[in-house]
Amino acid sequence: MSGAAIILKALQDQGVEVVFGYPGGAVLPIYDELFKTNAVRHILVRHEQAAVHAAEGYARSTGKVGVVLVTSGPGATNAVTGLTDALMDSIPVVCLTGQVPTHLIGNDAFQEADTTGITRPCTKHNYLVKEPGQLARVMHEAFYVASHGRPGPVVIDLPKDILFADCPYVEADQVETKSYRPQVKGDSDAVERAVDLIAKAKRPIFYGGGGLINAGPKASRLFTEFVRKTGYPATLTLMGLGALPYTDKRFLGMLGMHGTFEANWAMHECDVMVCIGARFDDRVTGRLSDFAPNAKKIHVDIDPSSINKNVAVDIPIVGDAGSVLEQMLAVWKAKGCKPDEAALAKWWKMIDGWRARKCLAYRPDDDVILPQHAIRRLFEKTRDMDCYITTEVGQHQMWAAQYYGFSEPNRWMTSGGLGTMGYGFPAAMGVQIAHPDALVIDIAGEASFLMNMQELSTMRQYNLPVKAFILNNQWMGMVRQWQELVHGGRYSESYSAALPDFVKLADAFGGVGLRATKPSELDDVIDEMIRTPQPVIADILVKQDENCFPMIPSGAAHHEMILGPEDQAERRTSEEGMVLV
C-alpha cells in the first residue's frame, strides 16, 4: 500500500472514528485517501490550533485518543499552542503533520519547518518518518504512547515522498513497545504504609486531580468510595472536578488560587494529605515554604517525574490512580481499618467553622447581572440534562469552576496548565462531535471567544448546536483584576475595545444570537438558548468591575486568602487556634 493508505488503515485499526484537520500541499495524499476510502470522518476546522483543541475536547469527553491532521510549515506551527495545552493537561492526542520530501529536509524548502525540533518541548514524544518500513509501526506506537502512562500529545511528521512510497503494513498486535512500559500497579509495601498512615490520621484530607479523570471512570468511582468509607474530607483541583460528586457532604469544593476558604484551610491544617493524580501545581500550593507545614504527604501518580518535583512527599506511589486506589481499598478492608472517630469529629468541627464563612456567597443585584448569578442560573437549569461544559480562560473560567456543580467525570473541559484563551469554543466542537445528542456549552469571556470565533463556520458546516455562553464584561477580566489588586489600578491595555455585536455575529454565521442586559432577562435567554437546535451565542452583559474571589494573591501562602473586595487581609487567631481572614 502507499504510505497514505497505510495511515488510513492504521487509523481504522486503532478505532479512530473522527479526525480534525486542515489540508495543505504536503498532506494531500492523505486527503486523497480519505476521499477514496471514506472510512474515517474528517472535520474541517478553520484554524489548526482549533483542530488540536477540538481533538482535546473529543478525547477528554470520551477517554479516547484525539486525532489531528495538518500540513507542513505553518500548519504544524499553528498546532503548537494546542499541543502544549494537551501536554500540560495530559490529554492523549496524535497529531499527523505533513513535511517536505525527505531529500528537501534542511533546504529551507517551501512550507518547511523543523516540526520535530519545534514540538520536542511540547509533546510527550514525536517521530519523523524517514523510511517507508517505519510508517506502520510508528503509527501504532504513537497511539500506545499517547494513551499509556501519563497521557499526552504525540506528533508524527510525514514527508510527502513517504506518503507516496510503497510501504509494508504491520498489524497493531505485532508492534511491541519494549522501551516504554509505564508502571500501573503501585508498590505493595508503599500502599500498605500509606493505608496505615491514613487510618491513624487525626486531620486527614484527600486531594484529587486530573489524573483521576484520565485514569477512567473506575478511578473516580473508587476515589468516591474511599472518601465515603473513611468519612474524610476531600478537595479537587480545577482539572479534577467531577471525580467526586459536588453534592457529597465531604466535598470541600475546589482548592487553589480561586478555591474555597475551607478547602485551602483544610489543606493547610491537615496532618495527612492523600494526593491522587495531582501534581502540586503552583496555583494550588501558593508559597511552597508554607504549604501544609505539618502534614505527612502521600502522592500517587503514574508519572514518576511528577513525584517530589514541587513538594517533597513522605510516601511516593508510582502507578495508575484507579489501580492504586483499588489496592488501597483492598488493604483498608483486609485490615479492618477504621478512622479515629473522636479526632475526625473534632476535625470536621474545625472545617465546619471555615465553611461557615460562606466564601462563595453573593447578593444578587436587581439592576445588573452578576457573573456568579449567571453561572448559577445556567447550572440550575441544566443540572438534570445530559450536559457537557467547556470554558475559555479567565474570570469566567474560575466562576464556572466555583458555581457549576459536576456529579461525574468527563463533563468538564477546561485549559488548566497552559491557560489557553480560545480553548473552549473549539473544544466544545470536539465534544459535540463525540456526543451529538448532548447539550454542549462553552462558558466564555468575550476576549477569549474572539481568539477562535472563526470556528463558527465549522459549526455551521456540520450543524453542531454548540452554545457559547459569554459573560461579557467588556474587559480582559482577570488581567483587569490583577491590575486593580496588584498594579495600583493601572489598566494597561486590558479593555476590550471595538467588540463585535455578538448577536449579529451569530446571525452572520447561520446561528442564533441572544442577549441579556439585566437580571430579569437572564432566565428567558438561558431557556431559549437550551431549546434552540442551532449554534447559539448568548451575550450576557455582566457587571463590568466584578472580581473573582476568594483569591490567593501572587507570592502568598495557600491560607493567605482574600475573600472579597472589602477584605484587607487582616488576620486574627480564634480560641480554637484557627486563623480567619
Side-chain angles (χ1 to χ4, degrees), residues 146-194:
S147 58
H148 285 70
R150 180 179 177 178
V154 176
V155 162
I156 308 175
D157 204 26
L158 300 161
K160 193 169 184 178
D161 56 321
I162 298 294
L163 301 180
F164 284 115
D166 288 333
C167 301
Y169 189 67
V170 180
E171 299 292 339
D173 58 8
Q174 296 177 308
V175 176
E176 187 176 1
T177 311
K178 295 181 180 179
S179 61
Y180 182 57
R181 293 288 176 185
Q183 183 175 329
V184 174
K185 193 173 181 180
D187 178 78
S188 56
D189 289 340
V191 169
E192 192 158 334
R193 284 188 288 116

Side-chain angles (χ1 to χ4, degrees), residues 85-101:
D85 189 271
L87 180 71
M88 294 285 279
D89 286 346
S90 306
I91 309 303
V93 170
V94 169
C95 180
L96 309 174
T97 61
Q99 186 53 275
V100 300

Side-chain angles (χ1 to χ4, degrees), residues 71-369:
T71 194
S72 63
T77 58
N78 278 349
V80 165
T81 297
L83 293 170
T84 311
D85 189 271
L87 180 71
M88 294 285 279
D89 286 346
S90 306
I91 309 303
V93 170
V94 169
C95 180
L96 309 174
T97 61
Q99 186 53 275
V100 300
T102 51
H103 68 277
L104 289 179
I105 292 176
N107 287 355
D108 293 331
F110 177 66
Q111 288 195 333
E112 180 187 1
D114 179 10
T115 300
T116 52
I118 291 168
T119 62
R120 189 168 289 119
C122 63
T123 55
K124 184 177 178 182
H125 193 57
N126 63 20
Y127 301 87
L128 172 60
V129 181
K130 291 186 175 181
E131 299 292 337
Q134 297 176 338
L135 182 57
R137 179 189 63 79
V138 165
M139 286 292 296
H140 293 311
E141 188 173 290
F143 278 85
Y144 174 86
V145 172
S147 58
H148 285 70
R150 180 179 177 178
V154 176
V155 162
I156 308 175
D157 204 26
L158 300 161
K160 193 169 184 178
D161 56 321
I162 298 294
L163 301 180
F164 284 115
D166 288 333
C167 301
Y169 189 67
V170 180
E171 299 292 339
D173 58 8
Q174 296 177 308
V175 176
E176 187 176 1
T177 311
K178 295 181 180 179
S179 61
Y180 182 57
R181 293 288 176 185
Q183 183 175 329
V184 174
K185 193 173 181 180
D187 178 78
S188 56
D189 289 340
V191 169
E192 192 158 334
R193 284 188 288 116
V195 170
D196 288 341
L197 185 58
I198 293 168
K200 295 173 184 175
K202 307 298 182 184
R203 299 188 308 278
I205 189 167
F206 283 97
Y207 156 37
L212 287 168
I213 310 295
N214 291 337
K218 171 187 169 184
S220 295
R221 288 197 301 269
L222 292 172
F223 182 76
T224 300
E225 181 183 345
F226 205 3
V227 168
R228 290 174 177 173
K229 188 169 287 293
T230 59
Y232 293 171
T235 183
L236 296 169
T237 67
L238 179 74
M239 300 302 296
L241 295 177
L244 179 70
Y246 78 97
T247 52
D248 195 296
K249 64 183 181 181
R250 302 158 195 84
F251 181 46
L252 305 185
M254 181 180 72
L255 80 163
M257 180 169 281
H258 292 285
T260 66
F261 185 74
E262 54 267 31
N264 285 331
W265 265 101
M267 287 284 284
H268 183 73
E269 292 294 326
C270 71
D271 68 343
V272 173
M273 180 185 297
V274 189
C275 174
I276 302 178
R279 55 189 177 86
F280 294 99
D281 177 76
D282 61 289
R283 290 289 175 113
V284 164
T285 62
R287 189 171 60 242
L288 279 171
S289 59
D290 291 311
F291 176 70
N294 302 311
K296 296 285 187 182
K297 300 175 183 72
I298 300 163
H299 190 186
V300 178
D301 204 293
I302 200 163
D303 179 10
S305 70
S306 290
I307 294 179
N308 289 322
K309 180 169 68 177
N310 297 325
V311 171
V313 300
D314 299 277
I315 303 179
I317 303 175
V318 177
D320 171 77
S323 297
V324 175
L325 279 165
E326 196 167 38
Q327 291 175 266
M328 284 182 162
L329 275 163
V331 172
W332 182 275
K333 293 172 184 176
K335 288 191 167 188
C337 294
K338 294 188 181 301
D340 183 332
E341 297 292 350
L344 188 59
K346 188 176 179 181
W347 178 225
W348 272 113
K349 185 177 180 181
M350 289 179 68
I351 292 171
D352 288 341
W354 297 321
R355 271 180 165 167
R357 298 301 298 269
K358 298 188 182 299
C359 65
L360 297 181
Y362 63 91
R363 184 177 291 107
D365 194 303
D366 293 332
D367 300 317
V368 64
I369 301 172

Side-chain angles (χ1 to χ4, degrees), residues 1-17 19 29-41 67 69 96 135-141 143 156 158 163 167-175:
M1 292 187 284
S2 70
I6 290 285
I7 289 168
L8 265 294
K9 169 74 170 157
L11 292 178
Q12 292 174 69
D13 287 355
Q14 289 292 335
V16 174
E17 298 172 341
V19 172
I30 302 176
Y31 275 89
D32 192 47
E33 200 65 33
L34 274 167
F35 181 87
K36 289 188 289 187
T37 61
N38 199 31
V40 177
R41 186 183 185 190
V67 181
L69 173 58
L96 309 174
L135 182 57
R137 179 189 63 79
V138 165
M139 286 292 296
H140 293 311
E141 188 173 290
F143 278 85
I156 308 175
L158 300 161
L163 301 180
C167 301
Y169 189 67
V170 180
E171 299 292 339
D173 58 8
Q174 296 177 308
V175 176

Side-chain angles (χ1 to χ4, degrees), residues 286-287 552-557 560:
R287 189 171 60 242
I552 301 172
S554 180
E560 295 173 346

